Amino acid sequence: WKSDLYSGFLVFLIALPLCLGISMASGFPPISGVLTAIVGGMVVSLLGSARLTIKGPAAGLIVIAIGAATELGYKKALAVVVVAGVIQILLAVTKAGVFGDLMPSAVVHGMLAAIGIIIISKQAHTVLGVTPEGKEPLHLLAEVPHSLANLNPEVFVIGALSLIVLFTLPLIRIAWVRQIPAPMVVLAAAVPLGVYFDLSHPHLYQFSAHTYEVGPKFLIRLPGSLFNALAFPDFSAVFSPASLKYIVMFALVGTIESLLSVIAVDSLDPERRVSDLNRDLLATGIGNTIAGCIGGLPMISEIVRSKANIDNGAKSHWANFFHGSFLLLSVMLIPGLLQQIPLAALAAMLIYTGTRLASPKEFMHVYKIGPEQLLLFVVTMMVTLATDLLIGVGAGLVLKMILHLKNGVPFRSLFRSIVSETQEGDRLILKVQDAAIFTNYLGLKRRLAKVPPRISTVILDFEDTWV
């Protein structure tokens, strides 16, 4: 428990500013992300979720959350989160956790790259202290030069310093320095700067023959107490087309991203333990239902915080529990200190996250796999930027199927796995015909699950497959 307590505390230091920043970027009240992480830590960890994953709000859902909050309003968006959580519970009960293995990786990474670009397009203006006119990602990106020319110097000093810390601290190879959470270094620098610039009080200042305004609007605003932070969903429009669209997006993208994170974290577990994906999805669905009922953002298994959890020596689910407990204590005991956090510092953290999602290394990695994978990646990313996540992912999946047909996959095998079997003593040979692709993968997986215990060896023969 000592290792879990230590790791939980360090993850809390990372999670607190990120939860506030993700809430801000999602169009929800800043406390919403903290409420979600508290539920993810103190409740979901006890429901049999994956042992070493940290549950909480994630940058990957910002685009959906802000769309729901803008189009529906905050309380109706909470109703969407609740219904999406219930759908995740139903998916878990029907053993749909296997879909985590189903999504083509190029499509998933293209979606995440688009999310990264969208985050950068929105938060760049906050770092500069400018309110943009555009709303869509491509318009916001086009406005960056204008915002640069009209930046607020004091706000920009805070944002720029935060970015410098975030990008340079990981490059330092000194062991004890690498143990310091970069977000906490950002806050240690940004909060005193905010106090020095007197952001708590609205006032004007002169710089280079120009007049600029600063004030509390450039700081995080939190309710006076945890009780006042609670908000309850409005289900009056839950069956409207807009609500149904966001329900599907939250349930689909949240489920896929969470399951992929669990699989990735399992691969980092020093003890090589394998999580039950359906049980984890059930726990996450229950957590989302509770979070939506009290005013929180949707949660997933978050990969960056989970990796930090493992790196800091976590042994079990109690690390996630302790991380949630420390978050609860922070909003109960030091809300005044939290309200001194400049928005520019949180925006810098989100830009750093966005650059990792849309890093040029991602493009190179996909290209090395093959030109077709790069095409999938770019199409998914560009369609997502031009429309929304659901259409972007759908376009990527359709293109993937078209490429399979172009490469010779018979249409009859597009959704059906054709497998012949031969048994030789305690050996079972499964010969896959025509194609082994993502759309017929579940049929093959179901057949493998039915292998009787007396079979000691299973041989998968792909000699006669097209791809």
Side-chain angles (χ1 to χ4, degrees):
W1 67 268
K2 291 180 181 179
S3 297
D4 288 329
L5 181 65
Y6 174 75
S7 180
F9 178 71
L10 292 180
V11 172
F12 147 73
L13 296 178
I14 299 170
L16 177 60
L18 287 178
C19 289
L20 294 170
I22 289 169
S23 300
M24 175 190 75
S26 299
F28 278 53
I31 197 67
S32 295
V34 181
L35 291 174
T36 297
I38 291 171
V39 173
M42 300 186 69
V43 179
V44 176
S45 64
L46 303 179
L47 297 176
S49 63
R51 298 171 188 85
L52 299 181
T53 60
I54 298 296
K55 308 293 185 183
L61 297 181
I62 286 176
V63 179
I64 309 173
I66 195 170
T70 302
E71 195 168 341
L72 301 170
Y74 171 47
K75 293 196 173 182
K76 290 177 182 176
L78 292 179
V80 166
V81 175
V82 172
V83 177
V86 172
I87 290 175
Q88 288 181 316
I89 293 171
L90 295 175
L91 289 173
V93 171
T94 56
K95 308 296 183 185
V98 294
F99 285 105
D101 293 333
L102 187 60
M103 290 293 292
S105 62
V107 173
V108 172
H109 285 92
M111 175 192 74
L112 293 175
I115 290 170
I117 293 171
I118 292 170
I119 292 170
I120 294 168
S121 73
K122 293 178 182 293
Q123 299 309 313
H125 304 279
T126 304
V127 165
L128 297 170
V130 178
T131 302
E133 294 182 5
K135 300 297 181 185
E136 301 302 320
L138 298 179
H139 293 160
L140 289 168
L141 286 172
E143 271 194 70
V144 169
H146 177 267
S147 293
L148 274 168
N150 296 276
L151 62 84
N152 189 316
E154 290 186 354
V155 175
F156 178 65
V157 165
I158 296 173
L161 179 61
S162 301
L163 286 171
I164 290 170
V165 170
L166 290 165
F167 280 97
T168 59
L169 197 63
L171 302 178
I172 299 174
R173 298 300 178 186
I174 302 171
W176 66 268
V177 173
R178 293 175 68 86
Q179 294 297 316
I180 303 173
M184 293 311 297
V185 178
V186 168
L187 295 189
V191 171
L193 270 176
V195 174
Y196 176 75
F197 292 137
D198 196 21
L199 297 186
S200 298
H201 302 95
H203 64 278
L204 303 176
Y205 71 96
Q206 296 285 330
F207 182 82
S208 187
H210 290 84
T211 301
Y212 299 94
E213 179 187 1
V214 292
K217 68 180 183 180
F218 293 103
L219 296 173
I220 277 287
R221 296 290 90 188
L222 297 176
S225 70
L226 191 60
F227 180 77
N228 292 335
L230 301 180
F232 305 103
D234 175 0
F235 290 95
S236 61
V238 76
F239 294 112
S240 68
S243 292
L244 292 174
K245 176 181 74 171
Y246 288 111
I247 287 169
V248 171
M249 291 171 73
F250 272 133
L252 175 66
V253 178
T255 297
I256 292 169
E257 195 173 345
S258 190
L259 291 174
L260 290 175
S261 295
V262 172
I263 294 169
V265 173
D266 280 352
S267 69
L268 300 174
D269 184 357
E271 298 181 31
R272 298 300 178 192
R273 291 167 291 186
V274 178
S275 301
D276 183 332
L277 294 182
N278 289 306
R279 187 170 180 179
D280 184 79
L281 180 58
L282 176 64
T284 303
I286 294 172
N288 276 325
T289 304
I290 295 171
C293 285
I294 63 173
L297 283 164
M299 75 178 66
I300 66 167
S301 299
E302 211 287 321
I303 185 69
V304 175
R305 276 159 265 166
S306 298
K307 185 178 185 304
N309 192 39
I310 294 172
D311 291 344
N312 290 312
K315 303 296 182 186
S316 72
H317 66 279
W318 286 107
N320 189 24
F321 179 86
F322 288 133
H323 132 269
S325 303
F326 285 120
L327 285 169
L328 176 61
L329 290 173
S330 71
V331 295
M332 290 176 62
L333 301 178
I334 54 170
L337 178 60
L338 298 182
Q339 295 193 79
Q340 296 299 317
I341 299 174
L343 295 178
L346 299 179
M349 295 181 200
L350 292 168
I351 288 175
Y352 179 69
T353 300
T355 57
R356 295 181 69 177
L357 291 175
S359 168
K361 292 180 181 178
E362 288 293 327
F363 290 79
M364 293 304 300
H365 172 71
V366 175
Y367 176 72
K368 287 178 181 177
I369 298 173
E372 286 188 353
Q373 299 305 306
L374 181 62
L375 178 64
L376 282 170
F377 179 95
V378 172
V379 166
T380 303
M381 181 186 72
M382 295 306 298
V383 174
T384 299
L385 289 173
T387 55
D388 61 42
L389 278 177
L390 202 58
I391 297 176
V393 171
L397 294 177
V398 170
L399 177 60
K400 178 74 169 175
M401 287 187 280
I402 291 172
L403 290 174
H404 280 315
L405 292 172
K406 181 186 81 68
N407 290 335
V409 173
F411 189 80
R412 63 176 182 173
S413 299
L414 199 58
F415 299 103
R416 188 167 71 94
S417 180
I418 302 174
V419 183
S420 61
E421 58 182 75
T422 305
Q423 188 170 338
E424 300 174 353
D426 62 352
R427 294 200 322 162
L428 181 65
I429 302 172
L430 299 178
K431 193 174 186 65
V432 183
Q433 307 290 330
D434 291 345
I437 55 178
F438 81 103
T439 48
N440 67 19
Y441 166 70
L442 291 182
L444 178 59
K445 188 163 186 174
R446 281 195 296 268
R447 179 63 194 87
L448 287 170
K450 294 178 181 178
V451 173
R454 67 177 182 276
I455 300 297
S456 64
T457 304
V458 177
I459 298 173
L460 287 173
D461 184 349
F462 294 104
E463 186 177 5
D464 292 339
T465 57
W466 286 83
V467 290

